[in-house]
Every structure is written in structure tokens, then in C-alpha cells.
Amino acid sequence: MRWQSFHFGQHSPKTFAKLLDDAQYALAKKVIASAPTANSDLEAYTLLEALKHPASSVSFRIALPNLKLMKEDGRPENEFDVVSVILKEDKDVQVWVWGVTAEQDLTAKRNDDMAKIQKLKDLLGQHWAGDVRVCTCYVHREGNAICCEIDGCQTRRSFNP
């Protein structure tokens, strides 16, 4: 489990970062071309993006795709596209929750995803209040671009199909 912490927080060689960027580029091209696997490709793109954030002072990191929270009766309550749990400098805990959609009608899906993320933020706040910082992130397709809203910062990455 330490490979994520080592390669994406404590030591990130340029060659490894280049491979990561190349993989994201290949996935983005498939998303923009509306491949049949566009939704899962964008989720994989987002998992790779989650490994990049935050970029420094990470002692431990685990990024999990398709994380399901279970109710007490064993049934799934919510599924999150990507969730990262990060320990910074051996003292600060952060949970980065990523919503993802490749759908053209962004509004309904985004509202649903953000409501789920808010519910998780509320649950974490009830148990750990000021001990855990929750960062909200959202990645979606818009025309020939992948739009990333990462902890309050927005970027638009254009790709030619």
C-alpha cells in the first residue's frame, strides 16, 4: 500500500510523472471521442489525477476508485467515484472526494454527486469535526475539454478528438 505514498507524495521521478500524464492523455482522447467506455475512462483519468493532489508534504496516501459506503444492514448507501485519504506531514488528515461525469447533461448528475459528497462531509464532520479536512473535487467533460474543479481551483484541458 505504500507505493501511492512513495511515488505520489514523497518521491515522484519525472519519468513516472510522464507515464502518468501519457496515460491521462490517452484516456482523455477516448472520453472526448465518446468511446463506449467514456465514463469508466474518465473515472480512471480522475483516479490518476487524484494521485497528483495534493502534490507535497504527503506522508501517506491511498486513492480508491468506486468506494462504496455500506449501511449497518450491509446494503450499499453511496458510491463515490474516487476518494483519497491523505496524511500530511504525519499530522493533518485530508479526505479528497471526487465526483466524475462524462454525461452531456451535467446539471442533474452534478447535483446528485454533490449531494452525496455533502452527506459524506457531514458524516465526517460529526465524527472528527476539525481533525479531518474534506476537499471536494469534480471532473467532467465539456465539448473537447476535460474540466477539473480541484479543491476550489478550476482548469480546462482541451484535447483534439
Side-chain angles (χ1 to χ4, degrees):
M1 286 179 48
R2 281 194 34 84
W3 72 270
Q4 289 186 16
S5 300
F6 182 75
H7 291 292
F8 301 103
Q10 298 168 1
H11 178 73
S12 186
K14 290 180 183 177
T15 344
F16 203 74
K18 171 89 169 88
L19 289 171
L20 189 68
D21 289 343
D22 291 347
Q24 278 189 295
Y25 181 79
L27 290 164
K29 296 278 282 184
K30 290 174 65 179
V31 171
I32 298 306
S34 298
T37 57
N39 285 323
S40 60
D41 292 337
L42 190 56
E43 287 181 3
Y45 178 98
T46 303
L47 175 62
L48 297 176
E49 189 66 31
L51 292 170
K52 297 177 180 180
H53 300 279
S56 62
S57 305
V58 174
S59 299
F60 177 80
R61 171 195 320 265
I62 182 91
L64 304 166
N66 301 316
L67 178 69
K68 290 182 183 173
L69 295 184
M70 307 301 276
K71 294 181 181 180
E72 290 179 15
D73 63 5
R75 292 182 299 140
E77 180 170 351
N78 276 321
E79 180 180 338
F80 298 92
D81 297 315
V82 177
V83 174
S84 299
V85 179
I86 297 153
L87 177 62
K88 291 190 70 166
E89 299 175 346
D90 293 329
K91 62 181 177 183
D92 298 321
V93 177
Q94 297 181 357
V95 176
W96 291 56
V97 186
W98 300 73
V100 178
T101 187
E103 295 177 19
Q104 293 295 77
D105 183 13
L106 176 65
T107 306
K109 175 75 166 93
R110 182 186 172 93
N111 288 343
D112 182 50
D113 287 344
M114 295 311 276
K116 287 192 308 188
I117 291 171
Q118 186 59 50
K119 186 174 181 180
L120 178 61
K121 287 173 82 170
D122 292 345
L123 288 170
L124 289 171
Q126 289 171 7
H127 292 291
W128 290 291
D131 296 331
V132 176
R133 177 176 179 250
V134 180
C135 304
T136 303
C137 306
Y138 206 79
V139 178
H140 67 278
R141 175 190 173 190
E142 187 176 289
N144 286 344
I146 304 292
C147 298
C148 300
E149 300 168 26
I150 302 170
D151 194 25
C153 297
Q154 296 181 353
T155 61
R156 180 181 172 89
R157 302 168 186 169
S158 296
F159 299 91
N160 294 323

